[in-house]
């Protein structure tokens, strides 16, 4: 057995000793008395009795050794700004922000909602909350008033932080009017709204409620705000899931477990070292942004890049130019972003000196083989898929090259990460499937490791019911994803448990059909859904985006492609999986975090109401599909 499996086995069989060791990677004000209290399953209390602070571990502890090293590198191709904050400077800014929040009456345990674009101040705000023991709730800046209002309602923040505007592709996107509308819609009202004025848009000010960050910052320029030592189990933040499958869930994270999990993930999973640069292209509104733009790299003593802008502006080489300039060693992105780059000139991948880069990590959705190959060959670097959820806060499945050099397999995010007792279960009987290649629900035996959600914010009942009672006869955490495991312990994710379609009695994962279709060289991206059918129960319906968008105006070519694609599916999966139709669109409906909204596509195809669309990115995408469906029903 290799070191990786030893490590994993010890983390499960000798759990407390294992995590006690990992816990030494962070600084404690008071050492934990108990490593894991699991006396009330499924609620786990990690590092019970210990006291620490997330901000202390992200900033203060590094001041001695790396005070003058870059901590945060803010780059905006929207406003043409580039600014580096050393650990010392970040420390000062965060204290100014913390002092400002305190002056607005924020106390330990109070919620602070952050609705901001990708600017440095957003990270000051998160870290300042952690510093004073306030619970932040970052809401993705791309959301409009409806989604924002429901999150304000749920988190009931004392203070909301926002800005005049963000910018996307050179277009100013105002935040303040959306925020005002959201506060109007919500029955909960914040005491204060703290505003960053970027000079992008004029703001209407509500007297007595709205305050400018610039004036409070000035007032608290030299304030010293020590870190508030909090219990390891004190909530650090709440964050909503992407809403791919329905109403988003408010994930609540602790302090001690999360700090330990991130601290150990940086060397073990990402092979990041203090002094190196981490570039995560996600958004602070998502879990990947929380863990790997802000907290993880800083806890690991690295420099982290916070990037505002598109991957394609000024051109598709912008990210790689940043890798060269800041000598990025670890990069983290999402398959959806790589598919965007795939439509750009591939020569941009080799234009810059990428010698510093060790690997590109991708997560968030299935990584199809053609995309993985394209980017891996283009960059000449290892591509490392990793599978996790907002709920878990850090990877469940990947390869841990920091523990043992491990080969990746195309199509597989890797093996179970230490701490996660991952099982494949029969969805009908709850029985564990132990043979290779048996398809089951990916489940995790409790307790979930440090860093995972403690509960659903304000709703313990929903936590238990949603996650722990869906597999018959067993209290086990369900990921709601299908998977298989091969003889070497590599998992393959086959899609979500609600993405399975049933064609004439055959159960097919939409993901498998998508994988097969994306093997056609003309296809950039594809979504497959199951649509009700009188004869077969359900049939597969495919919507594809072509690499060459111009073909959309050529019905002859599309017809030919449709036939070819069906043949590809016939050959790889069999005729039973062949989509009833393959239709072509210029863009697919996705959540703002880039995940395919299959449930919405399916609803439109079946003439149903698509339901909660508040997390959708581009509404025109769904309209295109609706139009195609309407046209074919005529
Ligand atoms: P909601 O839970 O609100 O429906 P969501 O599940 O999309 O939304 P996230 O927590 O952002 O919210 O996403 C986690 C899910 O994303 C996983 O359960 C899985 O379906 C998918 N996923 C993440 N990483 C990968 C990966 N590497 N390969 C395949 N699927 C992935
Ligand atoms: Mg989910």
């Amino acid at each position: 057995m290799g070191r990786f499996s030893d490590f994993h086995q010890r983390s499960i069989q000798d759990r407390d000793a294992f995590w006690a060791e990992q816990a030494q990677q962070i600084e404690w004000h008071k050492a934990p008395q108990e490593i894991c209290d699991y006396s009330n399953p499924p609620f786990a209390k990690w590092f019970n009795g210990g006291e620490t602070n997330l901000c202390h571990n992200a900033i203060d502890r590094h001041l001695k050794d790396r005070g003058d090293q870059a901590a945060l590198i803010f780059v905006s191709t929207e406003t043409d700004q580039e600014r580096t904050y050393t650990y010392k400077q970040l420390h000062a800014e965060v204290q100014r922000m913390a002092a400002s929040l305190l002056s607005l009456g924020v106390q330990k345990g109070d919620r602070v909602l952050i609705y901001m674009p990708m600017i440095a101040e957003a990270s000051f705000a998160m870290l300042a909350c952690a510093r004073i023991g306030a619970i932040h709730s970052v809401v993705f800046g791309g959301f409009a008033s409806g989604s924002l209002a429901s999150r304000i309602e749920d988190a009931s923040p004392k203070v909301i932080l926002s800005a005049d505007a963000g910018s996307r592709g050179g277009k100013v996107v105002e935040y303040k009017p959306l925020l005002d509308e959201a506060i109007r819609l919500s029955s909960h009202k914040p005491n204060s709204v703290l505003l960053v004025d970027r000079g992008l848009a004029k703001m209407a000010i509500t007297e007595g409620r709205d305050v400018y960050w610039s004036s409070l910052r000035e007032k608290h320029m030299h304030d010293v705000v020590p870190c508030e030592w909090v219990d390891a189990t004190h909530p650090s933040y709440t964050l909503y899931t992407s809403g791919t499958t329905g109403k988003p869930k408010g994930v609540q994270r602790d302090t001690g477990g999360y700090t330990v999990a991130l601290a150990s993930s940086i060397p073990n999973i990402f092979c990041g070292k203090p002094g190196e640069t981490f570039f995560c292209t996600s958004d602070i509104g998502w879990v990947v942004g929380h863990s790997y733009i802000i907290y993880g790299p800083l806890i690991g003593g690295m420099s982290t890049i916070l990037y505002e802008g598109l991957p394609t502006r000024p051109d598709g080489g912008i990210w790689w130019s940043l890798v060269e300039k800041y000598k990025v060693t670890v990069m983290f992105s999402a398959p959806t972003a790589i598919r965007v780059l795939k439509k750009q000139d591939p020569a941009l991948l080799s234009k810059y000196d990428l010698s510093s880069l060790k690997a590109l990590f991708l997560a968030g959705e299935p990584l199809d083989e053609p995309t993985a190959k394209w980017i891996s060959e283009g960059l000449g670097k290892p591509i490392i898929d990793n599978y996790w959820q907002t709920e878990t806060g850090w990877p469940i499945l990947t390869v841990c090259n920091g523990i043992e050099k491990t080969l990746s397999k195309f199509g597989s995010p890797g093996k179970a990460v230490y701490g996660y007792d991952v099982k494949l279960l029969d969805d009908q009987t709850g029985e564990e499937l132990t043979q290779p290649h048996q398809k089951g629900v990916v489940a995790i035996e409790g307790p979930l490791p440090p860093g995972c959600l403690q509960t659903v914010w304000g709703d313990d009942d929903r936590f238990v019911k949603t996650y722990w009672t869906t597999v018959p006869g067993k209290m086990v955490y369900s990921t709601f994803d299908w998977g298989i495991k091969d003889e070497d312990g590599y998992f393959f994710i086959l899609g979500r448990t609600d993405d399975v379609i049933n064609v004439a009695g055959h159960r097919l994962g939409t993901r498998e059909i998508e994988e097969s279709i994306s093997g056609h060289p003309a296809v950039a991206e594809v979504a497959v859904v199951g649509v009700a059918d009188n004869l077969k129960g359900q049939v597969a319906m495919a919507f594809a985006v072509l690499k060459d968008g111009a073909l959309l105006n050529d019905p002859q070519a599309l017809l030919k492609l449709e036939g070819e694609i069906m043949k590809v599916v016939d050959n790889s999966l069999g005729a039973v999986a062949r989509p009833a139709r393959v239709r072509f669109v210029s863009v697919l409906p996705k959540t703002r975090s880039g995940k395919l909204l299959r449930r919405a596509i399916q609803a439109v195809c079946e003439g149903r109401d698509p339901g909660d669309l508040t997390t959708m990115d581009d509404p025109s995408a769904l309209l295109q599909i609706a139009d195609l469906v309407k046209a074919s029903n005529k």
Side-chain angles (χ1 to χ4, degrees):
M1 236 176 15
R3 281 221 305 281
F4 182 76
S5 17
D6 277 349
F7 206 70
H8 182 265
Q9 207 171 57
R10 210 160 71 75
S11 75
I12 306 299
Q13 287 170 0
D14 203 3
R15 184 187 72 204
D16 288 4
F18 176 90
W19 284 109
E21 223 167 77
Q22 298 302 315
Q24 289 173 10
Q25 299 195 28
I26 75 162
E27 284 185 3
W28 295 89
H29 178 63
K30 204 171 128 200
Q33 258 125 54
E34 190 182 13
I35 298 304
C36 182
D37 172 0
Y38 200 51
S39 54
N40 179 28
F43 300 92
K45 286 188 186 160
W46 281 99
F47 307 114
N48 211 10
E51 283 179 14
T52 185
N53 181 289
L54 190 49
C55 183
H56 171 84
N57 279 287
I59 301 177
D60 299 47
R61 73 174 291 197
H62 301 305
L63 292 173
K64 191 162 61 69
D65 294 335
R66 47 191 78 254
D68 296 317
Q69 177 200 305
L72 181 76
I73 301 163
F74 166 61
V75 178
S76 172
T77 49
E78 297 289 340
T79 54
D80 277 330
Q81 279 172 297
E82 218 161 309
R83 177 151 187 207
T84 296
Y85 298 84
T86 63
Y87 272 95
K88 268 188 203 149
Q89 289 166 331
L90 183 60
H91 184 238
E93 290 294 353
V94 168
Q95 291 191 87
R96 288 168 197 140
M97 185 64 89
S100 304
L101 290 175
L102 289 172
S103 78
L104 296 173
V106 176
Q107 293 172 356
K108 178 179 163 187
D110 283 343
R111 272 82 56 217
V112 172
L113 189 137
I114 299 171
Y115 176 64
M116 284 175 114
M118 286 284 286
I119 52 177
E121 288 80 358
S123 69
F124 305 160
M126 291 167 73
L127 289 156
C129 287
R131 192 168 190 85
I132 61 176
I135 303 168
H136 62 66
S137 184
V138 182
V139 176
F140 175 58
F143 283 145
S145 358
S147 326
L148 180 55
S150 64
R151 287 159 176 77
I152 295 175
E153 194 97 47
D154 195 58
S156 56
K158 195 175 250 180
V159 171
I160 297 182
L161 275 115
S162 192
D164 55 343
S167 178
R168 202 172 142 90
K171 253 183 38 208
V172 170
V173 185
E174 288 195 47
Y175 278 40
K176 186 61 170 41
L178 297 180
L179 174 61
D180 286 340
E181 174 63 7
I183 295 175
R184 198 186 63 74
L185 290 172
S186 164
S187 65
H188 173 85
K189 314 286 177 197
N191 291 355
S192 316
V193 173
L194 182 54
L195 295 161
V196 176
D197 187 356
R198 311 177 70 191
L200 292 178
K202 250 183 105 68
M203 287 189 274
I205 294 298
T206 301
E207 288 301 332
R209 184 195 75 184
D210 296 358
V211 264
Y212 285 105
W213 156 240
S214 54
S215 63
L216 282 188
R217 181 175 180 272
E218 197 70 38
K219 235 193 235 163
H220 299 287
M221 202 64 189
H222 304 291
D223 283 25
V224 173
V225 182
C227 288
E228 171 94 26
W229 300 114
V230 298
D231 288 340
T233 54
H234 180 72
S236 56
Y237 67 77
T238 67
L239 178 65
Y240 297 85
T241 57
S242 295
T244 309
T245 48
K247 189 171 173 276
K249 303 162 278 274
V251 162
Q252 176 184 320
R253 194 94 62 214
D254 73 354
T255 298
Y258 187 54
T259 313
V260 170
L262 294 185
S264 105
S265 74
I266 292 291
N268 289 330
I269 297 176
F270 297 97
C271 304
K273 294 201 176 74
E276 295 182 349
T277 306
F278 201 118
F279 179 19
C280 171
T281 70
S282 179
D283 188 286
I284 49 156
W286 311 125
V287 67
V288 174
H290 280 61
S291 294
Y292 296 111
I293 297 177
I294 309 295
Y295 292 118
L298 293 178
I299 291 171
M302 301 178 74
S303 311
T304 185
I305 297 180
L306 181 90
Y307 174 75
E308 179 187 49
L310 301 178
T312 49
R313 234 176 62 111
D315 64 43
I318 175 67
W319 284 356
W320 318 116
S321 78
L322 292 175
V323 170
E324 175 181 288
K325 178 162 181 191
Y326 293 105
K327 302 203 168 42
V328 172
T329 59
V330 188
M331 191 159 165
F332 192 152
S333 191
T336 182
I338 305 304
R339 285 188 210 111
V340 168
L341 294 179
K342 227 162 129 186
K343 293 183 215 154
Q344 308 278 313
D345 180 2
L348 291 166
L349 296 179
S350 48
K351 185 171 161 195
Y352 297 93
D353 174 7
L354 305 182
S355 53
S356 60
L357 190 65
K358 293 187 268 195
L360 169 64
F361 292 82
L362 297 173
E365 39 164 345
L367 174 63
D368 57 283
E369 189 165 336
T371 302
K373 281 213 164 115
W374 180 83
I375 188 72
S376 140
E377 279 159 19
L379 295 177
K381 301 285 175 182
I383 304 301
I384 301 178
D385 191 359
N386 56 121
Y387 161 86
W388 43 300
Q389 307 182 303
T390 308
E391 288 86 344
T392 66
W394 63 294
I396 304 169
L397 302 174
T398 188
V399 289
C400 298
N401 281 314
I403 300 166
E404 178 185 31
K405 268 230 134 344
T406 313
L407 278 180
S408 291
K409 290 191 186 184
F410 276 120
S412 163
K415 307 183 187 188
V417 170
Y418 56 92
Y420 291 95
D421 192 3
V422 184
K423 303 251 160 90
L424 291 171
L425 304 178
D426 184 299
D427 65 321
Q428 302 298 318
T429 64
E431 246 162 79
E432 187 179 351
L433 305 171
T434 50
Q435 295 302 311
H437 305 288
Q438 279 180 301
K439 176 171 166 180
V441 179
V442 180
I444 307 168
E445 206 74 63
L448 295 175
C452 297
L453 81 168
Q454 291 180 292
T455 183
V456 170
W457 173 252
D459 200 345
D460 285 350
D461 217 35
R462 189 169 175 208
F463 172 63
V464 178
K465 280 212 187 95
T466 307
Y467 297 105
W468 297 88
T469 60
T470 55
V471 178
K474 233 190 191 150
M475 187 186 257
V476 63
Y477 175 88
S478 172
T479 61
F480 301 105
D481 290 310
W482 291 110
I484 53 168
K485 189 162 85 166
D486 71 8
E487 38 288 287
D488 304 322
Y490 286 79
F491 284 82
F492 293 77
I493 298 296
L494 303 178
R496 296 169 186 257
T497 49
D498 60 356
D499 281 345
V500 169
I501 60 176
N502 196 326
V503 182
H506 302 276
R507 288 157 67 78
L508 303 164
T510 49
R511 161 85 212 279
E512 297 163 77
I513 307 177
E514 286 167 5
E515 180 88 20
S516 150
I517 293 178
S518 51
H520 189 288
V523 174
E525 195 167 20
V526 61
V528 171
V529 297
V531 176
D533 180 84
N534 288 339
L535 214 58
K536 298 182 176 166
Q538 271 185 318
V539 291
M541 202 65 82
F543 295 90
V545 176
L546 295 171
K547 283 183 192 147
D548 177 4
L551 288 175
L552 277 181
N553 305 318
D554 183 347
Q556 283 304 315
L558 295 184
L559 208 61
K560 187 163 157 266
L561 273 173
E562 179 170 17
E564 282 177 24
I565 289 172
M566 288 183 173
K567 229 174 248 142
V568 168
V569 178
D570 283 2
N571 291 339
S572 62
L573 298 175
V576 57
R578 181 199 305 158
R581 288 294 313 266
V582 182
R583 295 183 162 112
F584 301 94
V585 288
S586 65
V587 53
L588 290 167
K590 290 186 182 170
T591 63
R592 299 301 309 244
S593 53
K595 291 159 192 283
L596 272 178
L597 276 165
R598 293 194 190 77
R599 68 177 163 90
I601 304 178
Q602 183 187 41
V604 164
C605 289
E606 294 184 343
R608 286 182 289 113
D609 172 17
D612 185 353
L613 290 180
T614 47
T615 63
M616 186 159 75
D617 188 14
D618 176 359
S620 80
L622 203 56
L623 288 178
Q624 276 191 45
I625 291 179
D627 287 346
L628 285 171
V629 172
K630 238 188 260 152
S632 71
N633 286 345
K634 266 188 195 149

